[in-house]
Amino acid sequence: MNLFTESNLSPDILKAVGELGYESPTEIQKQTIPFILSDIRDLIALAQTGTGKTAAFSLPILDMIDDTSRKIQFLVLCPTRELCLQISKDIKNYSKYMKDIKTTAVYGGSSIMDQIRSLKDKPQIIVGTPGRVIDLINRKALDFSAIHWLVLDEADEMLSMGFKDELETILRETPETKQTFLFSATMNKEVERISKNYLTKPHRISVGSINEVKKNIKHEYYVVGYRNKKEALKRLIDANPNQYSILFCRTRMETQEVADFLMQNGYAADALHGDLSQAQRDTVMKKFRLKNIDILVATDVAARGLDVDSLTHVIHYSLPDDPEVFVHRSGRTGRAGKDGISISLIKPEESRKLKQIKSTTKIDIVEKIIPTGQEVIKAQVGGVFEKLFTEHEDIFEFDDSLIPDLNAFTKEELVHKLLQFQLKDLALYYKDKHDLVEQKFSSRDDDYPRRDRDRGRDRDRSRGDRDNRSGDRDRGGRERGGKPRRKNEDMVRFFFNLGKKDQLKKLDVLDIINKATTPAGGSKKRAEIGDIEILEKFSFFEIEKSFKGELLNNIASMKFKGKDMRAEEAN
Ligand code: AMP
């Protein structure tokens, strides 16, 4: 069963599910739906929230429920009021076109009299917390004599919250002929004991969570203000060639705006959001699946129903409020055994939100610097070779006699010419583009230090004790993060005799410092680099004080584009 339409569920259910944007069943749904539809055994399913388990048990039961009877047939027990409301809402959505089916939620912390009144509606489905269900049993407000299906949702959670006695009472008070389905994220002794005592020869299934943090996804973030956000996005897309990605926005308007920007700039992109008609959405999704577009700009809701396995990147153009959503979005890449990259654009004032996502999800999200034009071109060259060596399709027959005599060129010269030709537009675009000035996290935010000068040194102290990935380095190869904050007294500022007129770039300065402070073949610790300021005729840079002598000595004998270099300590 790869699509819901291939299941045996009734048209009313399929219509409702289709409207919610579900196309293919999740792993747990694939395993549970056919089982419940055809088997009479009890079931133990190891699955977490986020796996689609509500639909996994509700859809087949809705398919079999007797809508001519007004007795309670289906009871779901869950640990909290929130989950109770969520599950009953989901079931109501799934049974939207089953006009005689009624669902009622009963939970503590809310008027029991109101709930007793709503039971007068004679619902066939009750979703409740164990304590309130027991209260209602005691008041003789619930008749469980016709129950066919009992779901214990988040059984481990209910037991750890102390609902053991209530669960046992309910399990005993309901007919022996019922089918019991126990869902739990973990299988501990208590859960095993309940299963052993109250379930009969249960069938067992187990699935991983779709919201599970995947280890094969590399997470990066870039700090960029609103003004430069689209340009930064363009650079990031250009610096990640051959991508097939979903780019998440927060609102429909933002989605359309970003998609329009990308399309106007020549990218194969399109928008997917709720303002489009169903037919328009279907067309966009089809184009994306066929890879006629390779960047899909979408809202979270619209992207829900889309299931593609080969995404190389997920781009969080705007951060979600809920850390779970961040994990869920990111988990769309890195599927089917492949690696994935999740890129987040963070506004300076969003440092708190980022911090919350990091601490809740325990994901190591590494800060990177928006690529320079030169870096974009390097990445594009890599992309050309990657494509060259991975795509083997012969689209047309080649006649070797068409190749002119190329003996006058070396292999390198020819490759160079072809690359210049291939990347001409891109190179022209970036030719005179300034580096995007890095934004600062808001100085009001005390979680992040002010970064007037100490770029790259103490950006994110919270990351200190986590393992740094290989990407967690700045362009000079220095480890960023993981080190205690270095005070400015440890640094020395140099005047340097070259500047913009000499075509000196920051990358060149980093290179020069690296060469001047790392003796050939030495495995010595590298110097930390601070602020670099390139002016028209000269520049300034900061390095760790203990490397001062070594730098002054070495730099005097080095040349940049044929020019002598001179550095001296600045006042
Ligand atoms: P649950 O694990 O039941 O809390 O479901 C997690 C989320 O996945 C909910 O927002 C569901 O609406 C959504 N969902 C469930 N099944 C599917 C499906 N087959 N396709 C897309 N989304 C789904």
Side-chain angles (χ1 to χ4, degrees):
M1 181 172 73
N2 286 321
L3 292 170
F4 276 110
T5 43
E6 292 165 14
S7 71
N8 288 331
L9 296 169
S10 75
D12 281 347
I13 297 176
L14 292 180
K15 191 171 167 199
V17 162
E19 280 179 13
L20 291 169
Y22 300 4
E23 287 185 352
S24 14
T26 63
E27 193 47 44
I28 187 140
Q29 291 162 2
K30 279 185 192 165
Q31 295 193 42
T32 313
I33 295 174
F35 173 81
I36 297 181
L37 284 175
S38 62
D39 213 302
I40 54 160
R41 279 177 295 166
D42 290 341
L43 173 75
I44 296 180
L46 267 185
Q48 293 169 6
T49 297
T51 49
K53 64 186 160 69
T54 314
F57 60 72
S58 317
L59 300 182
I61 293 175
L62 283 173
D63 192 80
M64 295 186 289
I65 207 161
D66 179 2
D67 61 1
T68 59
S69 157
R70 303 311 302 258
K71 288 195 151 188
I72 300 168
Q73 297 166 53
F74 175 21
L75 170 65
V76 184
L77 294 175
C78 60
T80 62
R81 165 200 164 101
E82 287 68 34
L83 196 58
C84 197
L85 287 167
Q86 180 62 45
I87 295 173
S88 65
K89 190 173 122 225
D90 286 348
I91 295 179
K92 282 177 188 169
N93 280 334
Y94 302 146
S95 57
K96 184 174 165 191
Y97 294 106
M98 302 171 72
K99 63 179 177 16
D100 294 321
I101 293 295
K102 293 209 160 28
T103 304
T104 299
V106 294
Y107 43 84
S110 191
S111 154
I112 194 161
M113 291 319 293
D114 286 352
Q115 289 176 3
I116 290 175
R117 257 191 298 281
S118 67
L119 290 172
K120 299 243 155 54
D121 257 5
K122 298 217 166 294
Q124 295 94 340
I125 304 170
I126 299 285
V127 185
T129 49
R132 180 52 58 99
V133 169
I134 292 286
D135 286 349
L136 290 165
I137 291 177
N138 292 340
R139 291 178 187 232
K140 308 230 176 310
L142 288 171
D143 169 13
F144 281 166
S145 62
I147 287 208
H148 275 295
W149 302 281
L150 171 60
V151 168
L152 306 178
D153 196 18
E154 303 205 352
D156 50 351
E157 202 60 35
M158 287 197 283
L159 288 167
S160 76
M161 285 170 76
F163 284 132
K164 178 175 152 283
D165 293 344
E166 286 84 348
L167 287 185
E168 292 192 328
T169 308
I170 297 165
L171 280 157
R172 278 195 308 266
E173 293 279 323
T174 39
E176 266 191 29
T177 48
K178 69 182 179 291
Q179 230 178 329
T180 306
F181 306 135
L182 181 149
F183 286 76
S184 188
T186 52
M187 208 57 205
N188 55 33
K189 270 202 189 129
E190 269 302 284
V191 181
E192 277 294 356
R193 200 189 59 78
I194 285 267
S195 331
K196 222 168 135 201
N197 292 345
Y198 296 96
L199 271 63
T200 322
K201 292 194 180 140
H203 174 60
R204 286 175 186 256
I205 56 179
S206 162
V207 297
S209 165
I210 50 173
N211 275 2
E212 170 174 283
V213 172
K214 294 187 193 158
K215 301 275 183 294
N216 54 334
I217 301 173
K218 207 168 94 188
H219 292 265
E220 314 176 334
Y221 76 88
Y222 297 82
V223 183
V224 61
Y226 178 77
R227 204 164 48 93
N228 284 327
K229 213 166 172 186
K230 291 207 186 76
E231 173 62 19
L233 174 68
K234 179 175 161 45
R235 286 189 187 209
L236 291 170
I237 292 176
D238 288 344
N240 288 274
N242 310 330
Q243 65 173 278
Y244 180 50
S245 55
I246 299 187
L247 189 155
F248 287 97
C249 293
R250 283 171 75 92
T251 62
R252 296 165 183 196
M253 210 168 97
E254 187 182 63
T255 306
Q256 194 60 56
E257 207 181 288
V258 173
D260 287 346
F261 166 79
L262 292 177
M263 287 188 272
Q264 280 153 14
N265 279 274
Y267 297 93
D270 213 335
L272 186 71
H273 55 71
D275 281 347
L276 304 174
S277 69
Q278 185 62 47
Q280 284 171 315
R281 272 185 281 167
D282 288 346
T283 310
V284 174
M285 288 204 252
K286 191 167 168 199
K287 281 201 288 185
F288 189 57
R289 272 197 213 95
L290 294 172
K291 300 199 176 171
N292 291 339
I293 49 178
D294 37 45
I295 303 170
L296 182 73
V297 188
T299 56
D300 290 296
V301 177
R304 258 193 198 176
L306 187 73
D307 203 27
V308 276
D309 271 344
S310 49
L311 293 185
T312 57
H313 293 70
V314 160
I315 303 176
H316 308 267
Y317 186 75
S318 290
L319 277 186
D321 291 327
D322 181 355
E324 272 272 306
V325 174
F326 181 85
V327 178
H328 191 219
R329 281 179 176 185
S330 308
R332 287 174 162 275
T333 179
R335 288 192 180 174
K338 296 188 185 123
D339 289 336
I341 297 180
S342 128
I343 295 176
S344 304
L345 283 91
I346 318 266
K347 284 191 280 184
E349 62 271 22
E350 285 180 317
S351 70
R352 248 174 227 289
K353 204 193 255 186
L354 173 73
K355 199 169 176 228
Q356 195 210 349
I357 291 178
K358 282 176 161 192
S359 67
T360 313
T361 63
K362 308 277 181 295
I363 296 176
D364 188 17
I365 314 174
V366 171
E367 181 173 11
K368 301 276 237 136
I369 296 168
I370 294 165
T372 59
Q374 216 177 336
E375 286 168 326
V376 167
I377 291 169
K378 265 193 198 167
Q380 286 280 334
V381 170
V384 170
F385 285 114
E386 182 190 296
K387 255 195 152 157
L388 204 63
F389 296 127
T390 50
E391 292 185 9
H392 303 291
E393 210 179 354
D394 282 334
I395 300 163
F396 61 92
E397 290 253 326
F398 205 85
D399 176 357
D400 284 353
S401 68
L402 294 174
I403 305 176
D405 180 10
L406 298 169
N407 282 335
F409 301 100
T410 64
K411 181 177 72 192
E412 285 75 17
E413 281 168 341
L414 282 173
V415 172
H416 199 164
K417 273 185 187 298
L418 282 170
L419 285 172
Q420 291 278 2
F421 182 72
Q422 169 84 13
L423 301 176
K424 187 174 164 201
D425 290 346
L426 189 104
L428 283 174
Y429 177 85
Y430 284 109
K431 193 159 182 276
D432 295 317
K433 281 269 180 298
H434 293 297
D435 292 357
L436 281 189
V437 181
E438 219 187 319
Q439 308 291 316
K440 297 179 182 86
F441 276 130
S442 161
S443 55
R444 275 181 288 116
D445 192 334
D446 53 4
D447 290 323
Y448 285 85
R450 280 186 65 89
R451 296 181 307 157
D452 298 342
R453 293 149 52 94
D454 38 10
R455 153 183 170 142
R457 270 186 281 139
D458 49 7
R459 176 89 28 96
D460 182 356
R461 284 176 281 163
S462 67
R463 202 173 55 211
D465 50 1
R466 303 226 181 99
D467 64 326
N468 273 332
R469 288 164 192 254
S470 56
D472 190 11
R473 286 167 179 274
D474 72 15
R475 294 192 215 120
R478 266 65 175 161
E479 298 255 340
R480 308 172 61 203
K483 284 191 181 175
R485 184 181 174 137
R486 184 173 284 281
K487 289 198 220 89
N488 272 345
E489 303 87 75
D490 294 338
M491 305 295 278
V492 57
R493 188 171 167 86
F494 286 98
F495 163 87
F496 187 47
N497 67 320
L498 305 176
K500 282 186 194 156
K501 69 165 183 18
D502 308 297
Q503 291 164 349
L504 184 78
K505 301 264 170 17
K506 282 191 179 173
L507 206 61
D508 302 318
V509 178
L510 288 166
D511 225 324
I512 291 165
I513 300 172
N514 273 335
K515 285 191 181 126
T517 55
T518 312
S523 59
K524 248 174 82 175
K525 175 177 145 314
R526 291 175 160 240
E528 274 203 32
I529 302 173
D531 195 25
I532 296 173
E533 209 180 332
I534 301 182
L535 304 171
E536 193 52 36
K537 293 186 181 153
F538 49 82
S539 316
F540 294 97
F541 59 79
E542 285 179 349
I543 66 160
E544 213 176 324
K545 219 174 215 167
S546 54
F547 287 82
K548 178 179 152 185
E550 194 184 337
L551 181 121
L552 287 175
N553 262 344
N554 291 332
I555 221 165
S557 56
M558 289 166 59
K559 283 189 190 305
F560 177 71
K561 299 198 172 156
K563 288 199 172 173
D564 286 328
M565 292 187 212
R566 187 168 54 81
E568 57 194 53
E569 194 173 348
N571 290 327

